[in-house]
Amino acid sequence: MTASGRTVLLAGATSAAGLATAQALIAAGARVIASGRSADRLAPLSDAGAQTVIADATSLSAMTALGERIGAVDAVVPLVGGWRGGGGLAGQNDADLDALLPAFHAVRATSRAFDAAIRASDAGRFAIVSSTVVSRPLAGGANYASVKAASEAWARAVAQGYAKAARDAATPLRAASVIFRAHGALDPATLARAVVGLWDGTAEERNDTVLTLDATAPVTG
């Protein structure tokens, strides 16, 4: 299986990583739908060949409405992110945590809104972007690591849901939930390659896996 012919939603895609991923998917023959809250910031994605829509990736109601509009999808990748931290434990203030929480909200909203659609695909994929800091959190990044850890826990629960649905229906597993962990700063090109590669393995091989993204090395898991 490949990304060719797949319909992929990049939710909250107005970052450099979103643009690079959209370009790579389109080059691989996929149809890309990119969502964001700003028409101006979505313009480069439209220029790259993606279908763009104004929608809030952190809102379940907005994502549910988007799902009803676009119909069948093969993959959903929430890309809402950002970094705020530093200052040790004393520096982990509520304002920084509030600024980081939308990334977790996007993981929850997109996975719930597109759960049925991903499971209906013959090769559905849900993937999130996390960080290797979850395995060694530091005091100055406690807010950030906690949000990433929560997102990973949710993505693993999504994976269990896919597996259970397949078992209950006595059908082969066709959907996979994957965690990408960036090593250091997220490299857009490395993420783009990893997303295109979501179909390099079967759902059984991909579901509930963690793949490390390192710009200096191949994607590993």
Side-chain angles (χ1 to χ4, degrees), residues 14-36:
T14 55
S15 63
L19 179 59
T21 302
Q23 290 170 328
L25 284 166
I26 292 166
R31 172 195 176 207
V32 175
I33 302 168
S35 75

Side-chain angles (χ1 to χ4, degrees), residues 134-215:
V134 299
S135 61
R136 189 174 182 272
L138 303 178
N143 279 333
Y144 180 77
S146 296
V147 169
K148 289 301 185 184
S151 296
E152 288 200 9
W154 189 276
R156 295 199 66 191
V158 171
Q160 191 276 334
Y162 292 160
K164 183 179 186 302
R167 287 196 306 271
D168 290 349
T171 58
L173 180 63
R174 299 181 301 185
S177 176
V178 179
I179 296 166
F180 296 132
R181 281 186 185 167
H183 180 68
L186 178 63
D187 176 64
T190 304
L191 174 63
R193 289 196 301 273
V195 173
V196 171
L198 280 170
W199 292 274
D200 288 349
T202 66
E204 288 281 1
E205 294 167 334
R206 287 295 193 184
N207 195 38
D208 200 12
T209 57
V210 177
L211 304 178
T212 300
L213 307 179
D214 188 335

Side-chain angles (χ1 to χ4, degrees), residues 13-219:
T14 55
S15 63
L19 179 59
T21 302
Q23 290 170 328
L25 284 166
I26 292 166
R31 172 195 176 207
V32 175
I33 302 168
S35 75
R37 294 185 294 180
S38 165
D40 288 343
R41 295 187 65 190
L42 282 169
L45 290 141
S46 179
D47 292 342
Q51 175 186 345
T52 58
V53 290
I54 302 293
D56 182 357
T58 69
S59 165
L60 176 59
S61 61
M63 289 295 99
T64 300
L66 177 59
E68 292 171 352
R69 286 172 55 193
I70 64 178
V73 298
D74 297 294
V76 176
V77 185
L79 292 173
V80 177
W83 157 261
R84 285 177 65 162
L89 286 181
Q92 304 303 293
N93 59 58
D94 291 347
D96 286 345
L97 178 61
D98 289 344
L100 293 167
L101 280 173
F104 178 53
H105 294 322
V107 170
R108 293 181 69 248
T110 53
S111 64
R112 294 174 68 195
F114 291 93
D115 180 63
I118 291 172
R119 288 191 287 108
S121 169
D122 66 343
R125 300 291 185 267
F126 179 75
I128 71 163
V129 180
S130 184
S131 169
T132 55
V133 300
V134 299
S135 61
R136 189 174 182 272
L138 303 178
N143 279 333
Y144 180 77
S146 296
V147 169
K148 289 301 185 184
S151 296
E152 288 200 9
W154 189 276
R156 295 199 66 191
V158 171
Q160 191 276 334
Y162 292 160
K164 183 179 186 302
R167 287 196 306 271
D168 290 349
T171 58
L173 180 63
R174 299 181 301 185
S177 176
V178 179
I179 296 166
F180 296 132
R181 281 186 185 167
H183 180 68
L186 178 63
D187 176 64
T190 304
L191 174 63
R193 289 196 301 273
V195 173
V196 171
L198 280 170
W199 292 274
D200 288 349
T202 66
E204 288 281 1
E205 294 167 334
R206 287 295 193 184
N207 195 38
D208 200 12
T209 57
V210 177
L211 304 178
T212 300
L213 307 179
D214 188 335
T216 63
V219 177

